[in-house]
Amino acid sequence: MLHTVNKSPTERNALESCLKYLKKGSVVLLIEDGVYGALKGTATTKMVEQALKNFPVYALYPDIEARGMQDRVIDGIKLVDYSGFVDLVAEHPTFQAWL
């Protein structure tokens, strides 16, 4: 299942809720303001790093770039472009949007 998070972890608890419900085969994609969850040195960094041990976490690069965060992404998070976003959707026929 593909889980998308589009809200900043400082605005809502969407990322935290998402990470709690991951199961085998889950993949997380951070988009829009959700990419703030990909930042090093924040209150959610350890939670994301823990999730990375068992689940792939992606972030949409155009959203990372638009916020000037290219050099501050947590190690292990894979950056994808819009084509990669489409590939993830095609690979995972079920998805959950965390708003």
Side-chain angles (χ1 to χ4, degrees):
M1 176 178 281
L2 175 63
H3 297 263
T4 60
V5 178
N6 75 336
K7 300 296 181 201
S8 169
T10 60
E11 179 185 342
R12 299 220 174 118
N13 67 347
L15 178 59
E16 183 178 352
S17 295
C18 169
L19 298 179
K20 286 181 182 178
Y21 287 98
L22 297 179
K23 295 181 181 176
K24 185 177 179 178
S26 291
V27 174
V28 177
L29 174 61
L30 305 174
I31 60 173
E32 301 170 3
D33 283 347
V35 298
Y36 286 108
L39 285 175
K40 293 179 184 175
T42 69
T44 57
T45 299
K46 289 196 185 299
M47 181 174 45
V48 173
E49 289 174 336
Q50 190 65 32
L52 278 165
K53 293 178 182 179
N54 298 304
F55 304 100
V57 178
Y58 296 84
L60 190 63
Y61 185 75
D63 291 339
I64 292 281
E65 187 176 44
R67 289 156 180 83
M69 300 169 23
Q70 302 90 314
D71 299 330
R72 299 171 37 205
V73 175
I74 296 168
D75 295 334
I77 291 181
K78 300 172 182 90
L79 301 178
V80 294
D81 57 13
Y82 289 111
S83 177
F85 186 167
V86 171
D87 290 343
L88 286 170
V89 171
E91 292 169 18
H92 301 89
T94 58
F95 84 99
Q96 170 70 48
W98 296 87
L99 308 172

